[in-house]
Amino acid sequence: MRIGILGCGQLARMLALAGWPLGLRFAFLADPGDSGDCVRGLGDLVSYPDASESLGVEQLAKAVYEALSEPDVITVEKESVPVDLLTALKAYCAVYPDPSAVRICQNRGAEKTFIESIGASMAPKIVVNTIAELEAAVAELEFPVIVKTCEEGYDGLNQWKMNEQADLAEFLIDRESIAESVVEKRVNFSREISLILVRAASGATAAYPATQNWHEGGILRASMAPAQNVDQDLAEQIEDLKNRVLSNIDYVGVLAIECFIVDGKLLVNELAPRVHNSGHWTQQGAATSQFENHLRAIAGLPLGSTQVHGFAGMANLLGVEVNAVKATKPNAFFHTYNKSVRPNRKVGHINILHDDAESLKKQLDETLAEIYG
Ligand code: AMP
């Protein structure tokens, strides 16, 4: 079976690495300027057809489908893909997840509306389009707030933390207008967790245990699973949230939900319609990785067991030169993305396994200290 992936970054790489043993073959559609280094050797790398701006979306879909050598299924490795193209590709082959789900996750405003519509909780927020609306929203929500553009924002990009009026004034210097944005109350969370779910084309679902995450500057730095101290009340909230999401979205593949825990209450931060950085630990920590399960889901195979033995952690390698010689240990597994190093760029990760949570956290902390000093 041939899988076409829109995008050619590290998630595409890890999908392909998981798919080759299943007999799957891959073609990747690179965005203009993408080097394709992450997926080199793992399938065909194709570019957008020449003069693609002048083509209608139906013609573009046909050209992309042919350039990808007529895949059986098309999927995505990021949310910033042209949804109209994805929709038009449905005329040629299965497209998972459905473009309607990608559209929801692509725009923070639409995403928050969806989260609200399914009765899930989140930080207080207001969507704004103008500077006057922004000022009014900040006045209503009160500092501290965080302003995030609705589109093209990830890993702390296009986000501004504001603690006081001076921060807002600084943000507005030299700005005559703003992009559509969400103003969110900054919540004082005790922890961040994420849920990695998967649904097969048959409707079968599976989930990995909740993952605890640590971010720095808006970028994931480390994860650990199963998350500790999940009491019955939190476990029930997690179960309820999973059911609300899965029963309200037309979805096949892996879906991630990022959450805050504030005073024991689960608040949804955002949804990702794809395999997720906070699920990388599943490569060694679960019977079936998130990557294999995404492929199983979209290829019509039975989902694999999400069973976890012991505890697994993940340390992200952000803008640092680390190699396998330094990073591998009997219980530590190095994954490189074949990327050049730039500040804060995700270039790899290390998965760590332990039988007990305390030893895992200790080794995770030591590994982070070794990497970042
Ligand atoms: P996001 O891009 O929305 O996933 O945000 C990246 C990170 O910024 C989150 O994982 C949090 O650590 C932090 N963050 C985002 N929104 C909020 C919020 N409303 N309150 C507190 N921290 C936040």
Side-chain angles (χ1 to χ4, degrees):
M1 182 181 270
R2 192 170 174 82
I3 312 280
I5 302 182
L6 300 199
C8 62
Q10 67 265 19
L11 300 178
R13 171 187 180 83
M14 289 185 276
L15 283 167
L17 287 169
W20 271 82
L22 296 174
L24 304 176
R25 295 298 174 262
F26 295 86
F28 311 92
L29 180 67
D31 282 330
D34 268 7
S35 69
D37 285 347
C38 287
V39 296
R40 206 161 296 290
L42 295 172
D44 300 328
L45 181 66
V46 306
S47 309
Y48 273 85
D50 286 341
S52 60
E53 332 61 66
S54 62
L55 298 177
V57 72
E58 274 84 21
Q59 287 168 299
L60 180 61
K62 183 168 188 290
V64 166
Y65 177 67
E66 285 168 2
L68 292 170
S69 301
E70 305 189 354
D72 302 285
V73 185
I74 286 178
T75 191
V76 300
E77 62 128 29
K78 55 185 178 173
E79 42 271 68
S80 58
V81 292
V83 172
D84 52 349
L85 170 61
L86 213 52
T87 307
L89 282 164
K90 284 172 74 172
Y92 298 95
C93 65
V95 176
Y96 296 130
D98 194 78
S100 58
V102 178
R103 190 187 296 280
I104 290 172
C105 302
Q106 197 166 65
N107 180 292
R108 285 186 194 273
E111 188 176 76
K112 306 271 177 198
T113 304
F114 171 73
I115 294 165
E116 225 160 31
S117 74
I118 63 170
S121 304
M122 65 187 143
K125 59 92 191 68
I126 298 172
V127 176
V128 297
N129 284 287
T130 64
I131 289 176
E133 286 174 2
L134 168 64
E135 289 173 324
V138 172
E140 185 173 333
L141 293 171
E142 298 181 350
F143 294 109
V145 296
I146 180 161
V147 177
K148 307 173 179 178
T149 57
C150 283
E151 291 184 6
E152 300 300 327
Y154 59 92
D155 288 345
L157 199 76
N158 292 330
Q159 294 188 7
W160 297 268
K161 285 183 181 166
M162 298 181 187
N163 293 319
E164 53 187 8
Q165 202 62 36
D167 298 330
L168 175 60
E170 189 184 325
F171 171 81
L172 290 175
I173 289 176
D174 296 335
R175 273 198 170 81
E176 283 172 9
S177 63
I178 55 165
E180 186 191 26
S181 302
V182 176
V183 185
E184 263 177 49
K185 182 79 181 168
R186 272 235 314 281
V187 291
N188 197 7
F189 55 79
S190 55
R191 293 195 282 160
E192 292 189 81
I193 64 164
S194 56
L195 311 175
I196 310 286
L197 322 176
V198 56
R199 178 157 56 205
S202 67
T205 61
Y208 294 92
T211 303
Q212 180 160 351
N213 300 309
W214 291 269
H215 290 82
E216 237 168 271
I219 307 179
L220 184 69
R221 181 143 295 205
S223 304
M224 185 174 151
Q228 294 298 280
N229 306 317
V230 176
D231 61 17
Q232 198 181 333
D233 179 44
L234 184 56
E236 282 170 12
Q237 292 184 60
I238 289 172
E239 223 26 61
D240 177 60
L241 176 61
K242 280 189 217 165
N243 293 335
R244 280 175 196 270
V245 172
L246 285 177
S247 55
N248 283 289
I249 196 164
D250 178 11
Y251 202 91
V252 172
V254 165
L255 169 76
I257 313 175
E258 292 185 66
C259 304
F260 304 127
I261 299 174
V262 181
D263 298 329
K265 202 165 170 346
L266 196 60
L267 304 184
V268 179
N269 178 28
E270 63 176 355
L271 309 175
R274 54 176 168 78
V275 287
H276 194 257
N277 197 168
S278 69
H280 289 1
W281 62 268
T282 60
Q283 287 170 311
Q284 269 77 39
T288 315
S289 74
Q290 63 164 348
F291 302 102
E292 179 168 337
N293 256 337
H294 182 74
L295 294 169
R296 285 181 179 226
I298 67 171
L301 301 170
L303 297 181
S305 162
T306 53
Q307 201 177 348
V308 171
H309 296 289
F311 296 86
M314 189 253 1
N316 251 352
L317 300 173
L318 304 169
V320 286
E321 194 84 64
V322 176
N323 59 34
V325 176
K326 188 169 169 201
T328 42
K329 300 205 167 101
N331 68 338
F333 304 84
F334 176 64
H335 297 260
T336 179
Y337 305 156
N338 198 33
K339 276 176 165 178
S340 57
V341 174
R342 286 205 299 260
N344 273 333
R345 191 178 201 202
K346 291 179 181 173
V347 293
H349 66 273
I350 302 169
N351 286 336
I352 303 173
L353 300 182
H354 253 295
D355 289 336
D356 69 281
E358 236 169 62
S359 307
L360 173 62
K361 184 66 173 59
K362 186 166 174 281
Q363 189 172 336
L364 199 52
D365 287 343
E366 286 164 0
T367 304
L368 291 169
E370 262 173 50
I371 299 168
Y372 298 107

